[in-house]
Structure formats: C-alpha cells, structure tokens
Amino acid sequence: EAGVAQSPRYKIIEKRQSVAFWCNPISGHATLYWYQQILGQGPKLLIQFQNNGVVDDSQLPKDRFSAERLKGVDSTLKIQPAKLEDSAVYLCASSLGLRETGELFFGEGSRLTVL
Amino acid sequence: DAKTTQPTSMDCAEGRAANLPCNHSTISGNEYVYWYRQIHSQGPQYIIHGLKNNETNEMASLIITEDRKSSTLILPHATLRDTAVYYCIVRVNRGSTLGRLYFGRGTQLTVWP
C-alpha cells in the first residue's frame, strides 16, 4: 500500500516569510499527526486530528502555526511568520484511529531551513 | 514530556544480538510501550509494542519487566541496516491526550562489521 506522502521534502525560507507543508495519509486512516523534529531531538507532537476535527493541539504555537484537515483526508501545516527556531523536520503520521493500539505510519518529512 | 529514559548510544557487532534498555518508571496501568526506530533522513518506523506480556515479531522481541517500569528491545541478529536511533515511547491511551506518543532523544545504535 502507498505510504504517507509529504511535500515538499526541502524548503529554505527567510525569517518572517511563510511556508506550507502538505500531507496525504494512508487511505482509510482516520487519525493524522504533525510532529516537529529539531536536529538532535526526538519528534514532538504539534497537532493531532481525528477525521477533520482537532483532538490535541496543546503544543502547537498558535500565534504562528496553523493546520487544517479539510474533508478528513489530506492536511496542511502552515507557519506564518517563520522564525529561526522553526528550522526542523516536519513529520506527518497517520493511524487507523485514536483508540487503535497499532502503529503510526510516518512520512519521510519536510525539512525546513529558516535563514 | 518524554516519559522514558534510554542510553544515548550503544554499539553492537553485526550478527550479534542488540539489547536496548528503556526505563519508564512512571508508566500508568493502561499505557503501552512502543518502540520505533529512525534511520538517518527518514521518518520513524514502527518496530513493536506491548502492554504487559513479552512480544515478538519478525523484527524484534520486547521484554517488559513484571512491574512494567522498564523494558528491553532485542534485535536477535543485528545487521548494518539496523544502525538507527531507537525510540522507546509510552503511548497515552485515555483522556485528552489519547494516542499521543512521547518521544525522548532515543538511543543511537551503531552496528559495526
């Protein structure tokens, strides 16, 4: 089966510019996650969707980050305006459902460099 | 937020068993232990998970202590392709943070020829 698709793989922007990342989860997966991974650290959850509703966005910096999952399928994560500390890999993951104890499937990530 | 403690790095000879320890002394009764690994420049990959009992699949074995405060991931015959960062994770199974995975810094496993 096709995996989690993310784009773009790489993005370089200057601070105060905006950027958007796209994620298409595995077909049929109700739960979608966005993680931020700063170099040398483990991934940190930013936001979690169940279908098109937000389940947990407690760690999302809402003054500059936003995410949506219209129609409960693919999702977009936006940063506006970007700061230097936003340089990281943004990982999208999906799973069958919140109450499933199975695995999360991760995409390859989108690497953001803010200059 | 990470609820686990792992050694920063380990190494292992190719063909030998790799035993990766993890402490999760504050784990709650219905929280699962998951292991993921991340090969350089790729997204994390699921390995195995368990609640109380030991588990085995085609990739690895998971040994959880009786008090559930620690676990060990065993790669029975490590290969060079197993070189990666291995994350031991506690998964919340209830409440407003249902499904959240708490990643720590993981263990960098290096398998040498």
Side-chain angles (χ1 to χ4, degrees):
Chain A
E1 62 181 8
V4 176
Q6 291 190 246
S7 67
R9 284 297 312 275
Y10 304 93
K11 188 73 176 179
I12 300 174
I13 62 174
E14 296 189 348
K15 59 183 179 182
R16 291 187 290 273
Q17 288 187 325
S18 63
V19 63
F21 302 111
W22 174 82
C23 171
N24 191 24
I26 292 173
S27 177
H29 280 193
T31 309
L32 185 147
Y33 309 78
W34 282 102
Y35 282 83
Q36 179 193 57
Q37 186 171 26
I38 293 172
L39 185 65
Q41 299 182 17
K44 183 185 83 170
L45 180 70
L46 292 176
I47 189 167
Q48 182 175 321
F49 292 93
Q50 176 73 359
N51 297 311
N52 61 351
V54 175
V55 174
D56 181 1
D57 63 356
S58 58
Q59 299 187 97
L60 186 74
K62 299 181 185 63
D63 57 335
R64 299 182 298 104
F65 286 66
S66 65
E68 59 183 13
R69 192 185 183 197
L70 301 176
K71 301 180 182 179
V73 181
D74 56 351
S75 176
T76 303
L77 175 70
K78 296 179 181 178
I79 307 174
Q80 182 180 14
K83 292 185 175 181
L84 297 177
E85 58 260 36
D86 298 332
S87 293
V89 176
Y90 291 86
L91 294 160
C92 179
S94 70
S95 65
L96 280 171
L98 275 180
R99 298 193 179 279
E100 298 290 332
T101 57
E103 62 188 285
L104 268 64
F105 293 84
F106 283 83
E108 292 192 314
S110 294
R111 181 178 297 276
L112 173 66
T113 301
V114 182
L115 303 176
Chain B
D1 282 318
K3 295 186 173 184
T4 62
T5 304
Q6 300 176 253
T8 302
S9 63
M10 296 181 64
D11 56 40
C12 175
E14 189 176 22
R16 304 295 293 270
N19 297 290
L20 291 88
C22 178
N23 287 320
H24 31 79
S25 57
T26 61
I27 193 169
S28 298
N30 66 344
E31 290 179 331
Y32 284 71
V33 178
Y34 282 72
W35 283 83
Y36 281 73
R37 72 180 183 184
Q38 188 171 26
I39 295 170
H40 184 62
S41 296
Q42 296 183 20
Q45 174 193 23
Y46 167 84
I47 301 173
I48 198 167
H49 74 282
L51 182 63
K52 296 179 183 179
N53 300 320
N54 299 337
E55 302 288 344
T56 295
N57 63 20
E58 65 277 5
M59 289 182 69
S61 294
L62 173 61
I63 309 298
I64 302 175
T65 57
E66 192 170 341
D67 63 8
R68 302 210 324 123
K69 292 185 176 182
S70 65
S71 61
T72 300
L73 178 75
I74 301 173
L75 307 178
H77 305 287
T79 71
L80 300 179
R81 288 174 295 180
D82 292 322
T83 293
V85 176
Y86 286 76
Y87 295 101
C88 169
I89 300 158
V90 168
R91 184 171 188 256
V92 178
N93 267 14
R94 64 176 180 179
S96 61
T97 54
L98 174 67
R100 181 187 293 183
L101 296 181
Y102 289 94
F103 285 83
R105 291 180 180 264
T107 296
Q108 171 66 58
L109 174 69
T110 302
V111 181
W112 45 275

